[in-house]
């Protein structure tokens, strides 16, 4: 199983912390960076044997950091996105399409998942496309909200623009694509969107809107967002991550 981590962005919402440091290399406690914790949990899951990181902003720093992990025998490669300053992470995903020739997971460089999230999504699912979700009592404008079908079995739309009151859950930024047919469908969707200038500055999760509009069944995979996942967007998120991971 391969995992693709999208870590090319400048992390502007976390400035000044990211002025001279990629967001994925922010210290989350005891000298451990966000990216290193991701790699550690990926290893602990025992279901992923290859890591691909799409880099851009201050890419040399990320490549230097992972060099020690490469030397320890972990299979890690990087792909450079030269368009990171003028695009959003949909283009980073497009840059990695050649790495989608086997079953794969995609996630963001600012997400931390507990090891059992990776293990469960891989071991519990066969062919298909599966997007991790989290149900909450209330949603806010910055949440990447999700609308499900009437049976709550298929994803209809993913967007921050969905009205908070109409959200069924939120996307937590991790997808599993499994099976030759679904790999091909996923790549074709990315290719179509990347050729459309309207999508240059869109989030990679727009792929699911395109797939759903073309009748592709995307199943939600519910996790506990309070204990199993943390996203680092803002300064306060770092403090929350340290508490969650007991690194404060």
């Amino acid at each position: 199983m391969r995992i693709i981590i999208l870590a090319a962005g400048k992390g502007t919402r976390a400035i000044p912390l990211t002025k001279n440091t990629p967001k994925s290399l922010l210290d989350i406690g005891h000298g451990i960076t966000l990216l290193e914790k991701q790699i550690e949990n990926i290893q602990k899951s025992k279901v992923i044997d290859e890591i691909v990181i799409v880099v851009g902003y201050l890419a040399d720093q990320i490549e230097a950091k992972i060099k020690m992990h490469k030397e320890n025998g972990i299979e890690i490669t990087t792909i450079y996105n030269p368009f990171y300053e003028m695009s959003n992470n949909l283009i980073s995903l497009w840059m990695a399409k050649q790495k989608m020739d086997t079953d794969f997971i995609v996630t963001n460089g600012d997400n931390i998942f507990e090891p059992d999230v990776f293990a469960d999504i891989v071991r519990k699912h066969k062919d298909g496309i599966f997007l991790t979700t989290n149900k909450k009592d209330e949603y806010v404008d910055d949440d990447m909200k999700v609308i499900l079908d009437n049976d709550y079995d298929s994803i209809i739309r993913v967007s921050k623009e969905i009205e908070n009151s109409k959200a069924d859950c939120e996307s937590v930024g991790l997808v599993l694509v499994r099976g030759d047919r679904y790999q091909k469908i996923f790549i074709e969707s990315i290719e179509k969107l990347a050729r459309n200038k309207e999508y240059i500055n869109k989030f990679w999760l727009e792929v699911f809107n395109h797939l759903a509009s073309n009748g592709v069944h995307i199943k939600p995979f519910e996790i506990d967002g309070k204990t199993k996942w943390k996203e680092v967007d803002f300064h306060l998120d770092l403090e929350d991550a340290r508490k969650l991971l007991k690194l404060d």
Side-chain angles (χ1 to χ4, degrees), residues 27-228:
D27 188 330
I28 58 172
H30 302 307
I32 300 171
T33 66
L34 181 57
L35 180 60
E36 287 174 305
K37 189 61 182 178
Q38 277 189 317
I39 293 171
E40 177 186 327
N41 285 2
I42 287 167
Q43 284 184 282
K44 286 181 177 178
S45 75
K46 300 184 185 301
V47 295
I48 296 167
D49 48 28
E50 182 182 357
I51 301 171
V52 177
I53 306 172
V54 182
V55 297
Y57 177 61
L58 300 175
D60 291 348
Q61 290 187 29
I62 296 176
E63 291 170 337
K65 177 61 72 174
I66 66 174
K67 188 174 185 291
M68 69 180 76
H69 296 283
K70 285 184 176 182
E71 291 172 348
N72 288 333
I74 304 172
E75 187 172 356
I76 306 178
T77 57
T78 59
I79 296 172
Y80 182 69
N81 175 9
F83 311 111
Y84 71 89
E85 288 195 276
M86 60 188 77
S87 64
N88 208 323
N89 56 19
L90 176 62
I91 300 303
S92 287
L93 185 65
W94 175 78
M95 294 290 298
K97 63 181 179 179
Q98 71 270 27
K99 291 292 187 177
M100 299 175 186
D101 56 351
T102 187
D103 293 343
F104 64 92
I105 291 170
V106 179
T107 190
N108 299 314
D110 57 4
N111 285 345
I112 298 176
F113 292 93
E114 286 295 302
D116 60 328
V117 173
F118 300 113
D120 286 348
I121 197 171
V122 170
R123 290 172 178 160
K124 292 180 179 179
H125 299 107
K126 300 297 184 181
D127 287 4
I129 300 176
F130 308 90
L131 181 66
T132 53
T133 58
N134 171 49
K135 290 182 181 177
K136 302 196 300 186
D137 294 332
E138 292 183 324
Y139 299 90
V140 298
D141 292 347
D142 197 56
D143 288 337
M144 187 61 75
K145 296 172 284 291
V146 175
I147 293 178
L148 303 174
D149 67 358
N150 291 334
D151 296 324
Y152 297 97
D153 187 53
S154 187
I155 288 168
I156 301 299
R157 188 175 175 223
V158 182
S159 176
K160 290 187 176 185
E161 303 304 317
I162 293 170
E163 290 183 33
N164 297 336
S165 61
K166 294 184 178 179
D168 293 309
C169 51
E170 68 173 329
S171 165
V172 295
L174 184 147
V175 63
L176 168 68
V177 180
R178 198 155 205 183
D180 292 346
R181 174 172 175 262
Y182 292 98
Q183 292 160 23
K184 182 179 179 182
I185 289 171
F186 198 85
I187 293 170
E188 288 175 348
S189 180
I190 297 167
E191 186 69 27
K192 286 180 181 178
L193 295 181
R195 288 171 178 257
N196 186 334
K197 291 182 179 179
E198 292 183 13
Y199 288 90
I200 289 176
N201 284 301
K202 298 287 189 179
F203 292 107
W204 68 275
L205 293 165
E206 282 292 336
V207 174
F208 301 104
N209 296 328
H210 183 263
L211 290 168
S213 68
N214 284 279
V216 178
H217 183 46
I218 305 161
K219 289 187 68 68
F221 177 66
E222 180 71 16
I223 68 168
D224 181 353
K226 292 183 178 179
T227 62
K228 298 296 183 181

